[in-house]
Amino acid sequence: MTLEVVILAAGQGSRMRSKRPKVLHEVAGKSMLRHVIDVAEKMGADKTHIVIGHGASVVKDSVKQIDVLWALQAEQKGTGHAVAQALPAISDKAQVLILYGDVPLISPETIRKLHSDKADDALTLLTVNLDDPTGYGRIIRDDGKKVVAIVEQKDATPEQLIVKEVNTGIMSASAKNLKRWLPQLQANNAQGEYYLTDIVAMAVAENMNINVCHASHPMEVQGANTRQQLQLLERYYQQQAADMLMTNGATLADAGRIDIRGTLQTGEDVFIDINCVFEGDVVLGDGVSIGPNCHIINATIAANCEVKSNSVIEGTVVAEGCSIGPFARLRPGTVLANGVKIGNFVETKKANIGEDSKVSHLSYIGDAEIGRDVNVGAGTITCNYDGVNKFKTEIADNAFVGSNTALVAPVSVGKNATIGAGSTITGNIAEGELAIARAKQRNISTWKRPVKIPRD
Ligand code: UD1
Ligand code: CA
């Protein structure tokens, strides 16, 4: 049997008070809709259908790289009506899983429970028990505890309102049954909507057994209708992610002060201090230590590196045993070999820096190829840009660049060469040479400093 997923994403989400469609609001740096699409993919869905309405074109544009099918629900007439829009494109042989574009943290494990051991055309509901079930559809069971219906809050009797078991909205049904049931839905209820949930009573009328699975945690099936709820989802997600890191052998100074917006892979004995943000794909090798307030984006940092406080590292590959920061900024295209030291207020971009070389203070190294054991003095600037073109600076092994040097690219500095402090280097320097390019010092012995005349 094939699996087709329908993601409901047509609602407006007016309580977000946003120009952005609700499902495009982000949790952990990724739109809620994208989270749900990723789950469908992990489930091995043969097809994913997304029902769109409000902000349809913006929603569509946000996921255009993915192979999904779109169903337009021009008017939002209820969840049953929404699923019906996707139905014509669904194969009669499919089992259909219904997910919500604004319920981003549903786990593949829970959905697998929804499908395991169930008959091919089973109707299975995902429910959860809530202390406060207000607003949700209640799961109504008969004396034998069999599910007989779902009743919406606005249609429920006082006795039904007491029920704490609620419909998460997520369910699984065969396409065959949906194609039979959905055309029969009536909008004769308090909201005048075509309720998907009414298929439960239809199935019961046909003597079908309704299966029920429980969500492992209420947050897994929590939707985001408001920015407050969005923030709660974010915190829950981050807490889970932090917990996973610790399970994998990382020490966190405070599990409540780390944010992971992407994937963070850590080796053993990694230490992460407070207020660090990781984005995209980040890998930290064994024994890496990250100081407070670091922002690390799409980077690989090998074993035993130390990143000191307030450093920003993006698109960078760092080999073992490097020391970075505090206040370093490594920009895309930076590659550091083993044992490199990048000190405070150093910016690098498209820079290859060889083993054990040091750029310790206040420098800009861009479009540069630096060998091993090079010492780049404080305040060194690679002048790589003439306003139109970028040029390369090459510094060979064991060169010594004096402080406050400007290297006007294209330029190359030979092996073992030395540059005197304060030089503006515009021409190549051969192996072992000393280059000094600065005005000669003059001392004026007859100089008299102006004297202040006291006023009486
Ligand atoms: C629905 C369920 C309710 C359940 C609750 C869980 C029905 C009738 N009720 O409630 O039992 O407890 O979800 O959150 O199904 N949507 C569309 N098109 C529409 C209507 C809704 O795409 O015409 C989408 C919304 O964007 C949203 C989802 O479906 O993602 C649920 O809609 P919402 O109005 O939030 O749910 P309720 O009807 O309140
Ligand atoms: Ca509604």
Side-chain angles (χ1 to χ4, degrees), residues 7-12 22-23 51-52 73 75-82 99-103 135-138 150-152 166-169 171 191 193-198 221 223 225:
I7 302 173
L8 303 190
Q12 179 170 26
K22 176 164 74 169
V23 293
V51 181
I52 44 175
Q73 186 192 26
E75 238 185 299
Q76 280 69 59
K77 297 183 188 172
T79 49
H81 180 256
L99 298 177
Y100 286 23
D102 58 355
V103 180
Y136 290 88
R138 306 298 202 280
I150 298 175
V151 175
E152 293 303 298
V166 304
N167 173 33
T168 64
M171 61 176 82
Q191 300 185 85
E193 286 183 4
Y194 296 94
Y195 290 165
L196 176 63
T197 45
D198 284 350
V221 291
N225 294 306

Side-chain angles (χ1 to χ4, degrees), residues 299-417:
T300 298
I301 299 176
N304 303 318
C305 288
E306 185 178 8
V307 178
K308 295 174 184 165
S309 63
N310 301 292
S311 294
V312 179
I313 300 177
E314 179 174 10
T316 290
V317 178
V318 181
E320 292 184 15
C322 292
S323 169
I324 297 164
F327 296 98
R329 178 166 184 221
L330 308 189
R331 292 168 51 202
T334 297
V335 178
L336 307 184
N338 289 342
V340 166
K341 181 180 180 210
I342 302 290
N344 45 208
F345 306 107
V346 171
E347 175 182 348
T348 65
K349 185 217 73 169
K350 280 193 188 157
N352 244 315
I353 303 183
E355 238 174 275
D356 297 323
S357 288
K358 293 183 173 64
V359 188
S360 297
H361 333 263
L362 301 158
S363 292
Y364 171 62
I365 305 296
D367 300 300
E369 197 70 47
I370 297 182
R372 54 160 58 198
D373 295 308
V374 170
N375 194 311
V376 177
T380 295
I381 306 293
T382 53
C383 309
N384 59 334
Y385 187 50
D386 64 6
V388 181
N389 307 294
K390 296 280 169 70
F391 299 99
K392 204 160 176 183
T393 299
E394 288 173 319
I395 305 176
D397 297 350
N398 205 40
F400 183 97
V401 179
S403 297
N404 198 28
T405 292
L407 296 152
V408 182
V411 70
S412 80
V413 178
K415 255 190 190 175
N416 303 318

Side-chain angles (χ1 to χ4, degrees), residues 413-432:
V413 178
K415 255 190 190 175
N416 303 318
T418 303
I419 299 173
S423 291
T424 297
I425 301 297
T426 53
N428 297 342
I429 305 167
E431 185 172 340

Side-chain angles (χ1 to χ4, degrees), residues 10 12 17 94-95 116 129 138 160 192 205 230 240 261 263 267 278 330 345 390 405 447 449 453:
Q12 179 170 26
R17 297 207 161 205
Q95 186 69 14
S116 63
N129 289 305
R138 306 298 202 280
Q160 289 171 331
L230 190 70
Q240 297 288 98
R261 302 172 191 152
T263 63
F278 299 88
L330 308 189
F345 306 107
K390 296 280 169 70
T405 292
W447 169 248
R449 202 195 284 186
I453 300 160

Side-chain angles (χ1 to χ4, degrees), residues 25 38 43 59 61 68 75 80 98 114 119 149 163-164 173 176 181-182 197 248 314 331 352 369 375 377 407 423 443:
H25 284 261
D38 287 352
M43 294 299 303
V59 175
D61 286 350
V68 297
E75 238 185 299
I98 293 155
L114 214 59
V163 174
K164 289 189 168 11
K176 194 178 61 162
W181 292 331
L182 293 186
T197 45
N248 291 341
E314 179 174 10
R331 292 168 51 202
N352 244 315
E369 197 70 47
N375 194 311
L407 296 152
S423 291
N443 293 359

Side-chain angles (χ1 to χ4, degrees), residues 118-155:
K118 304 294 180 327
D120 270 359
D121 60 351
L123 174 59
T124 309
L125 308 176
L126 185 66
T127 74
V128 68
N129 289 305
L130 296 180
D131 290 337
D132 178 11
T134 309
Y136 290 88
R138 306 298 202 280
I139 305 296
I140 309 302
R141 293 173 183 265
D142 67 11
D143 295 340
K145 298 283 173 216
K146 275 194 159 179
V147 174
V148 291
I150 298 175
V151 175
E152 293 303 298
Q153 166 93 20
K154 288 184 178 148
D155 302 294

